Structures are given as structure tokens and as C-alpha cells.
Amino acid sequence: DTGLFGLYAIADKERVSDLMASVMNNLSKMADHIREEDVERAKTALKATMLMGLDGNTNVCEDIGRQLLTYGRRLTPAEIFGRIEELTVEDVRAAAHTVFYDKDHAMAAVGGLEGLPSYEWIRSK
């Protein structure tokens, strides 16, 4: 299993602390309190985004290249949709625990950072 997980968030400098508390709270919810309807909504959104991303020759070529590098062949939309549909709440919880719990992370921030919590605070959540 390989991959990269990233977040991009923006807040006024007076609200950085609130933003980080909200981000960490939501990441924790994803790991511990995700519901079936959340997963179903995400699967529907992922399939729609995937299909919309295949609009145009350049995007299709990029998709074919990415699949050839990853799988050694091109997967049909039906195969990809089947894999998406196989995902369960437990799969999401397991992935979230693998990525978030007791793991070091990298973070970059710019701007008014006076309210940014410490690395230790973020990691402890």
C-alpha cells in the first residue's frame, strides 16, 4: 500500500486555532465515527468525479498512462466502479487508523501562524 494523503485548508489568522481543532476533530470522526451513509455518499462522489475527469483526450491519455503504470493494463470503468463499491465502513476505518493514529506527519504553513498549534498538539489528536 502506497499513497499520499493531503489536506489544504485556509483560515483568517485569527481563526487558525479553530480551523486546526475542526480539522483534527473531523479526521478523528472519520477514523472512529464514520457512518455507512457517509461512505456511500463518498463512493457516489468519487465515481462522478472520476467520470467527469475523463472529459477530453488529454485527461483520458493521462488516465490510461496512470493505470498502465499502476496496474500494467487499463481498467474499465465497470472494474473501477466494482472496486469502489467493495469498500466498506470498516475499510475506511482501518485505512484512517493506519494513516492517522500514532503517525508522524509533515506540515507546511504560510501566513499568520500565531494561532497554529504545536506539532505535538496536532500529533496527539
Side-chain angles (χ1 to χ4, degrees):
D1 293 326
T2 62
L4 177 66
F5 175 85
L7 269 177
Y8 179 80
I10 299 173
D12 291 329
K13 65 181 178 180
E14 298 84 19
R15 305 292 311 268
V16 171
S17 181
D18 294 337
L19 171 71
M20 289 306 298
S22 178
V23 166
M24 299 313 294
N25 182 46
N26 282 298
L27 290 175
S28 175
K29 279 184 183 178
M30 182 173 59
D32 294 323
H33 305 292
I34 193 161
R35 301 170 304 171
E36 183 68 35
E37 52 267 24
D38 297 326
V39 174
E40 289 304 317
R41 185 173 44 253
K43 291 191 307 192
T44 299
L46 177 59
K47 290 185 284 188
T49 300
M50 190 192 97
L51 288 177
M52 288 187 290
L54 296 178
D55 183 25
N57 293 337
T58 302
N59 292 343
V60 171
C61 289
E62 287 176 3
D63 185 58
I64 291 170
R66 189 172 18 262
Q67 288 185 22
L68 287 173
L69 289 171
T70 304
Y71 304 109
R73 66 184 182 89
R74 182 156 190 222
L75 284 79
T76 66
E79 284 179 279
I80 296 170
F81 283 15
R83 290 179 182 199
I84 292 169
E85 283 304 317
E86 289 175 0
L87 289 172
T88 67
V89 169
E90 285 308 314
D91 293 330
V92 175
R93 282 185 186 137
H97 279 265
T98 299
V99 172
F100 300 129
Y101 279 101
D102 198 28
K103 301 292 181 186
D104 292 328
H105 65 271
M107 181 175 73
V110 296
L113 305 176
E114 295 82 19
L116 185 67
S118 69
Y119 174 86
E120 291 76 19
W121 181 90
I122 294 168
R123 193 175 190 285
S124 74
K125 302 297 176 194

